[in-house]
Amino acid sequence: MAYHMMSFQSHISLLIVLFGFLGLISFPVEAAIKKYQFDIQMKNVSRLCHAKPIVTVNGRYPGPTIYATEGDRVQINVTNHVKYNISIHWHGLKQYRNGWADGPAYITQCPIQTGGSYTYDFNVTGQRGTLWWHAHILWLRATVYGAIVIMPKPGTPFPFPQPAREFEIVLGEWWHKDVEEIVNQGNQMGLPPNMSDAHTINGKPGPLFPCSEKHTYAMEVEKGKTYLLRIINAALNDELFFSLAGHNMTVVEVDAVYTKPFTTQSILIGPGQTTNVLVKANKIPSRYFIATRTFMDAPLSVDNKTATAIFQYKGIPNTIIPSFPTTLPNANDTNFALNYSKKIRSLNSAKYPANVPLKVDRNLFYTIGLGVNSCPTCINGTRLVASLNNVTFVMPKTALLQAHHFDIKGVFRTDFPDKPLAPFNYTGAPLTANLGTKTGTRVSKIAFNSTVELVLQDTNLLTVESHPFHLHGYNFFVVGTGIGNFDPAKDPAKYNLVDPMERNTVGVPTGGWTAIRFTANNPGVWFMHCHLELHTGWGLKTAFVVEDGPGKDQSVLPPPKDLPKC
């Protein structure tokens, strides 16, 4: 009996040792499935002494953060309980072969109608960092937005010092009145809608606004520790400066791409862009304002009021008045904007290389223009429009990806011009004459795996202005930028083809140009538009139809069964 007991105990000991040894071996881990439920619903919210119903996700403003790890599969079921049709865009996620999950209404999907549901199902592949999600129909992203945080694979450290804690900072705008009513009123009059009444930080304008003491975001920090701020510009119509009083920030990532770290006292962040910064709490323990205000260096009216949050050291009483950042740039500080953008470079390390296309198969040159069209019912008899290469994009009634995938005729044309049909001195004396803007649902067809260079050129049609452009389905490299007219004979020689910044949204400077390059290796239909919602609504948008490749994994995936119908 004793012998059998000893044998049993020895056997157990052996198993413990064996399992302990196996625990040291790294087995492939199946990708996790992260599931979320988004209920689109109305909620009464009060800001600036005014209460109004707004469209929210799960009653939250801003909406919930999506957390995932590189390699995860994410499933988000969206159920629409409001009177508006809805769609959600997962901004910056590449959605390889899976435009069905990209979200822009009437581009990759028909919107989710009242009472309907749709599950966005996608893989997070080859990306890590800060992105965001937002409504992609009407102006509903005024309140329907939130952060996406993608952590590196387990065991993979950040290529910068590990922070003690992370904070998500989402910048937005607030209107006293119903945003859709404001937009409709502007459209009927043929005028821009009223500008926002305040900017917000995590949905709160801060104590410089009336009735806002309890509507102030505050973060508590401990002296000596380093913090990672994940900053997102969710504003509809404003590029924003952002500063933290008394503290430097080290930029380490933009648009979920690691950068060569550099230190700055302020950042510039356009609508749609994200920026991660490290902040060391190494100053005299006190309370410090975080502040954000508009950048606008064109002669246009903007909401120039400053939103604030509080960076508060642990143990400091709330009675201490926070200090204000003296380094926050003036609203028209063009030099800061241009110099800041030049500092952003890709990390371009062995692990995170910058694979810039060096040979270009397709050269595109798009002019950005504003204009006026006749509108007999409008207040001035005209309506403002916007165009690329003098084409004002008309939204279809059938989603472009569905029309492309199922070969539905008559929805779009593939004759969008590669360059302006009538070249002129783009940034010369103000041109108020209408060039005869063409309208239509016209897109460009791009061969699979071809390399594309696109130069975006601002023009002085009505006025010059900065434009943040977003390309869905892709990151691109910003190889060059400049003021004035792009010179194809001289400017390419100045390109950075070694470590240019890689991102999904880029600003075209006021009265200048920006050149980007990308490899068209993601088949499907991909929207490209100005991320100023005002200009998008006026037609400053187009799309690329990237053809299927010859390989078995180089074509658009079949659509999901619950794809919304128009």
Side-chain angles (χ1 to χ4, degrees):
M1 184 72 175
Y3 170 78
H4 288 297
M5 183 60 71
M6 280 183 61
S7 297
F8 178 73
Q9 289 174 337
S10 300
H11 184 62
I12 291 296
S13 299
L14 183 61
L15 285 174
I16 290 171
V17 171
L18 179 61
F19 281 117
F21 174 72
L22 290 174
L24 299 174
I25 300 175
S26 179
F27 289 101
V29 179
E30 279 194 33
I33 299 179
K34 302 287 175 64
K35 295 189 177 185
Y36 289 85
Q37 174 63 37
F38 274 21
D39 287 306
I40 310 299
Q41 52 195 208
M42 302 301 295
K43 183 181 181 181
N44 280 322
V45 171
S46 176
R47 295 288 187 273
L48 281 65
C49 318
H50 293 260
K52 68 171 185 177
I54 64 171
V55 182
T56 69
V57 171
N58 301 345
R60 296 170 59 179
Y61 166 67
T65 298
I66 298 295
Y67 294 99
T69 300
E70 182 182 349
D72 282 352
R73 181 179 179 182
V74 180
Q75 296 174 331
I76 305 167
N77 184 65
V78 177
T79 304
N80 187 7
H81 303 283
V82 302
K83 65 179 180 179
Y84 304 106
N85 291 344
I86 193 78
S87 71
I88 306 288
H89 171 48
W90 317 97
H91 186 113
L93 281 161
K94 296 178 184 176
Q95 308 287 13
Y96 184 68
R97 303 173 58 211
N98 189 28
W100 313 110
D102 191 42
Y106 300 106
I107 303 297
T108 59
Q109 68 166 94
C110 297
I112 306 164
Q113 298 182 14
T114 302
S117 293
Y118 177 56
T119 300
Y120 293 91
D121 188 345
F122 53 86
N123 296 317
V124 180
T125 305
Q127 292 182 272
R128 83 293 306 161
T130 305
L131 296 171
W132 67 299
W133 58 265
H134 60 84
H136 213 300
I137 185 171
L138 306 172
W139 278 37
L140 294 181
R141 76 175 173 94
T143 56
V144 180
Y145 60 80
I148 300 174
V149 174
I150 306 168
M151 298 303 293
K153 290 179 180 179
T156 303
F158 294 132
F160 49 80
Q162 179 73 25
R165 187 180 170 187
E166 304 177 9
F167 294 97
E168 293 135 33
I169 308 291
V170 189
L171 312 177
E173 288 177 277
W174 176 264
W175 280 260
H176 286 322
K177 296 182 179 178
D178 181 271
V179 178
E180 294 306 319
E181 288 181 11
I182 292 171
V183 174
N184 290 336
Q185 183 183 41
N187 288 339
Q188 288 168 8
M189 297 172 68
L191 298 172
N194 292 341
M195 70 184 72
S196 58
D197 296 293
H199 288 108
T200 57
I201 299 176
N202 288 344
K204 300 175 179 181
L208 303 186
F209 290 87
C211 304
S212 295
E213 284 187 15
K214 67 176 183 178
H215 298 307
T216 299
Y217 177 73
M219 64 183 77
E220 187 178 77
V221 299
E222 294 184 46
K223 185 172 175 63
K225 292 188 175 180
T226 299
Y227 297 88
L228 181 68
L229 308 188
R230 298 178 178 268
I231 307 164
I232 299 163
N233 185 352
L236 272 79
N237 292 309
D238 289 326
E239 295 180 276
L240 295 168
F241 291 124
F242 179 97
S243 289
L244 169 56
H247 294 71
N248 288 330
M249 297 178 285
T250 301
V251 176
V252 293
E253 177 197 304
V254 297
D255 292 3
V257 178
Y258 296 134
T259 65
K260 288 183 170 68
F262 68 92
T263 300
T264 183
Q265 294 179 318
S266 301
I267 69 167
L268 173 63
I269 184 166
Q273 294 182 334
T274 71
T275 302
N276 282 9
V277 300
L278 291 175
V279 176
K280 191 162 188 178
N282 58 0
K283 302 301 180 183
I284 296 170
S286 187
R287 302 174 81 218
Y288 298 87
F289 270 136
I290 291 170
T292 182
R293 68 172 165 224
T294 302
F295 164 59
M296 172 56 74
D297 59 352
L300 298 170
S301 298
V302 294
D303 172 9
N304 61 3
K305 296 179 286 293
T306 302
T308 52
I310 298 174
F311 189 83
Q312 181 162 340
Y313 281 72
K314 188 174 182 178
I316 299 300
N318 292 344
T319 52
I320 301 295
I321 298 174
S323 56
F324 191 83
T326 57
T327 55
L328 187 65
N330 292 325
N332 61 351
D333 195 336
T334 303
N335 286 337
F336 178 90
L338 294 175
N339 291 331
Y340 174 79
S341 296
K342 290 176 183 175
K343 293 177 184 176
I344 305 174
R345 300 292 183 96
S346 292
L347 190 57
N348 195 24
S349 65
K351 189 166 187 175
Y352 303 105
N355 296 315
V356 188
L358 300 180
K359 172 181 162 292
V360 175
D361 299 318
R362 182 89 172 267
N363 282 282
L364 305 175
F365 183 85
Y366 290 178
T367 55
I368 303 162
L370 301 177
V372 289
N373 278 358
S374 175
C375 175
T377 61
C378 295
I379 194 167
N380 294 322
T382 58
R383 182 192 304 280
L384 289 162
V385 294
S387 63
L388 285 170
N389 279 356
N390 214 37
V391 176
T392 295
F393 189 86
V394 175
M395 293 298 284
K397 302 250 186 325
T398 299
L400 297 183
L401 181 59
Q402 288 174 267
H404 169 63
H405 187 74
F406 295 108
D407 198 24
I408 302 171
K409 305 297 185 186
V411 176
F412 62 87
R413 295 162 50 177
T414 57
D415 60 349
F416 188 88
D418 283 7
K419 59 185 179 181
L421 300 180
F424 59 97
N425 182 6
Y426 306 115
T427 57
L431 297 165
T432 55
N434 197 329
L435 292 179
T437 305
K438 299 175 176 61
T439 59
T441 310
R442 302 170 68 178
V443 303
S444 290
K445 185 175 281 190
I446 306 289
F448 180 81
N449 224 30
S450 61
T451 53
V452 178
E453 178 176 308
L454 168 60
V455 176
L456 291 159
Q457 172 73 61
D458 188 31
T459 70
N460 206 1
L461 288 169
L462 294 186
T463 181
V464 289
E465 187 177 349
S466 177
H467 298 272
F469 265 83
H470 173 47
L471 175 60
H472 290 227
Y474 289 89
N475 281 355
F476 48 74
F477 291 97
V478 184
V479 295
T481 190
I483 300 300
N485 295 341
F486 174 75
D487 185 340
K490 296 179 180 178
D491 286 326
K494 306 171 192 172
Y495 283 176
N496 175 8
L497 300 178
V498 178
D499 60 352
M501 63 175 164
E502 179 185 348
R503 55 191 330 162
N504 60 59
T505 306
V506 67
V508 179
T510 300
W513 57 271
T514 293
I516 66 173
R517 287 187 182 183
F518 64 96
T519 301
N521 55 8
N522 191 3
V525 179
W526 303 106
F527 206 23
M528 189 190 76
H529 60 98
C530 180
H531 223 275
L532 301 175
E533 202 64 38
L534 184 63
H535 293 171
T536 301
W538 288 348
L540 196 51
K541 50 196 172 186
T542 185
F544 294 113
V545 175
V546 178
E547 298 176 294
D548 287 347
K552 63 176 182 137
D553 295 325
Q554 296 178 343
S555 58
V556 176
L557 293 168
K561 292 179 181 177
D562 64 340
L563 192 67
K565 293 180 172 57
C566 291

